[in-house]
Amino acid sequence: MSEAVDLGFDPDALRAKYREERDKRLREDGNDQYIEVTGQFSHYIEDPYLDEEIERAPLTDEVEIAIIGGGFGGLLAGARLREAGLENIRMIEKGGEFGGTWYWNRYPGAACDIESYVYLPLLEETGYVPPKKYIDGADILEYSKTIARKYDLYRDVLFQTEVQEVHWDEDASRWVIRTNRGDAFKARFLVMSNGPLNRPKLPGIPGIDDYKGHTFHTSRWDYGYTGGDASGGLSGLKGRKVGIIGTGATAVQCVPHLAEGADELYVFQRTPSSIDERNDRPTDMTWWESQKPGWHQERMDNFNTLVSGGVAEQDLVNDGWTEIIRNLLLLVQSEEDSGLSMEELMEKMEIADFQKMESIRARVDAIVNDPETAEHLKPYYRQFCKRPCFHDDYLPAFNRDNVTLVDTNGKGVERITEKGVVANGVEYELDCIVFGTGFEVGTDYQRRCGYEIHGRSGESLSEHWKDGARTFHGLHIHGFPNLFMMGHTQTGFTANYPHALNEQSRHIGYIITRTQAGNHNVVEASAEAEQQWVDTIVSLARMNEKFLADCTPGYYNNEGDPLARSLQDANYGAGPVAFFKVLEDWREEGLMRGLDLDAG
Ligand code: NDP
């Protein structure tokens, strides 16, 4: 009881409230609640940004390196391979330009709420100065093109091209890449960077294809209908009633613009996001020009350390992301805390998390005028159960007369009819429904990347992974020679995703140049190295099991069932800092340990 008085809240009561809110949202169907965007739903993923379709003849030639994906992963791989002196690189991208997630996600308000000075890769190499602390999506898209130009990646790029199947040709020791353009070309090395959130998902609710009004997913924004552009001005929504389903990081950014454009806006909420201050500002050029060479890596490392729960002498980024960790650390670093057991430390961390979330909930009360709406907008879960959001206009949007929050008490919308959305038993007639319902994460790799991969023995990756992911360092797969997989499975995951892609790219560059320098044709993870890595991933993943199981459902915990998929699909549980060190030490050792050269 005294604890409750001292803290200003009762931890037991909060624990019970978090459990209650989680339990409300747990569902038997987990990931199966969502519809795969194929068949009659394919129109949701058509590219609305193409000016014209590229005509070209199918390719049957051979390249040294093929890179699938033109987002930051592919761009970084291309850049680091060029730096390593590799010329014969072909990029393959389903969109009409480089940019990846920033090509597709052009919704109004799209911006990066991680500081641009750490989020954007290759800043020292390109000399680019981000205009603001939190850069707009449109500028990131432009910057992607800058990287591609700088590293001459337009030289051999296949845009508007979707890979349909890749297989290893054992006789030729080459990958064969087949696409929707009739291509069947060969590559000695294959880098796959499909993007972790590339496959939009829709809620599997009855009647979703009955709706007769206008509808689209946020990652394929229909400006032809809404008018305006990524900076807002949605004049096409005048006179219209609009509904948006979903209140994740995407919705948080576009709701203020929908609120301004539409006559009436209905925001259908299942779980509120945690919304902290963003406080954007122009880049301070005096500060920028005072940076010494090497500053960018130092800043990225510093941010990564702090948001991964590590300790650093200073906090260079000093924003809402790192504040969470600062507060947590303050609480566990006092003198009397030295010598705490792991269990006691975890309890302190939980209290610090409660404090942080209490301040997030207090912020809602301070901003939102209507007490009932404010209550519904308060998140009751630990900060990193879902991706934290940072925005200064989202909560104020609910003070507008034309905006209604339709909270569904954790149940989600019930049904879609010809005319609109049914929630809490009420039908809301709408001219337009926007799906801000996110992307597939926990489904099969093959389903998410859209093509199957067949390795040395003809075995497919889906078969190889039927009991869970199997890799060495998250990058190599036994039986799939000369293949490099970029992503978050079995690697160090960081909130600053391009940082992880950068580290992976460097590593790939090192391995390919070492393989070539030794005149080896093939490099492949050994079965033992793969098994050892899988064992490491599983043992580290157990450390995080309870935290994830206690969380409200979402894609961070496989929709509330972190154990449903094998623990093997987890990230490297000791965190990204430790993972990058594993890769660095491995390179320094110089033995290519765990990889067979010219095997088979
Ligand atoms: P999310 O998966 O985060 O959000 C999907 C939303 O749809 C959730 O609010 C979810 O509710 C809701 N939903 C799903 N089914 C239903 C239903 N049946 N009824 C009502 N609501 C439903 O997707 P986002 O596109 O918002 O974000 C995806 C990721 O993209 C982020 O997590 C982040 O990593 C990235 N991103 C990054 C940005 C940046 O600044 N760098 C900006 C925007 C996105 P529930 O929570 O209950 O599942």
Side-chain angles (χ1 to χ4, degrees), residues 28 137 171 210 357 453 518 546 561:
E28 292 272 302
D171 295 332
D210 292 346
M357 293 305 280
I453 304 134
K546 183 170 172 356
D561 202 355

Side-chain angles (χ1 to χ4, degrees), residues 476-583:
H476 317 266
I477 304 158
H478 177 65
F480 297 74
N482 291 6
L483 179 83
F484 301 91
M485 172 177 273
M486 300 180 76
H488 54 83
T489 305
Q490 298 196 347
T491 67
F493 176 76
T494 165
N496 188 15
Y497 193 54
H499 184 173
L501 296 170
N502 195 12
E503 299 295 330
Q504 292 170 25
S505 301
R506 282 209 182 96
H507 200 69
I508 294 169
Y510 172 85
I511 292 169
I512 292 184
T513 41
R514 280 287 307 267
T515 306
Q516 287 184 325
N519 281 324
H520 300 290
N521 213 15
V522 167
V523 57
E524 179 184 349
S526 70
E528 300 74 45
E530 186 182 270
Q531 186 56 50
Q532 273 173 18
W533 191 251
V534 169
D535 293 343
T536 305
I537 293 295
V538 169
S539 65
L540 291 173
R542 291 197 195 287
M543 285 161 47
N544 221 7
E545 233 175 281
K546 183 170 172 356
F547 177 86
L548 289 175
D550 286 346
C551 275
T552 192
Y555 75 82
Y556 276 21
N557 69 349
N558 195 40
E559 299 300 333
D561 202 355
L563 305 181
R565 281 180 79 84
S566 120
L567 288 172
Q568 283 173 230
D569 290 1
N571 317 123
Y572 182 75
V577 178
F579 177 74
F580 300 158
K581 181 88 170 64
V582 167
L583 294 189

Side-chain angles (χ1 to χ4, degrees), residues 25 27 33-34 101-102 105 107 110-114 119 197 201-205 217-218 245-253 268-273 278 321 386-387 408 410-414 436-439 495 552-556 559:
R25 292 170 172 83
R27 317 167 40 129
Q33 69 182 281
Y34 299 108
T101 199
W102 301 102
N105 289 284
Y107 55 83
C112 187
D113 61 15
I114 292 176
Y119 179 80
L197 298 166
K201 63 178 162 53
L202 295 172
I205 37 180
H217 188 272
T218 49
I245 301 179
T247 49
T250 298
V252 165
Q253 294 186 335
F268 296 94
Q269 171 179 278
R270 188 165 68 178
T271 311
S273 282
R278 182 162 63 172
W321 283 94
K386 282 190 177 282
R387 187 187 189 280
T408 60
K411 297 286 170 239
V413 296
E414 282 161 40
T437 41
F439 304 86
T552 192
Y555 75 82
Y556 276 21
E559 299 300 333

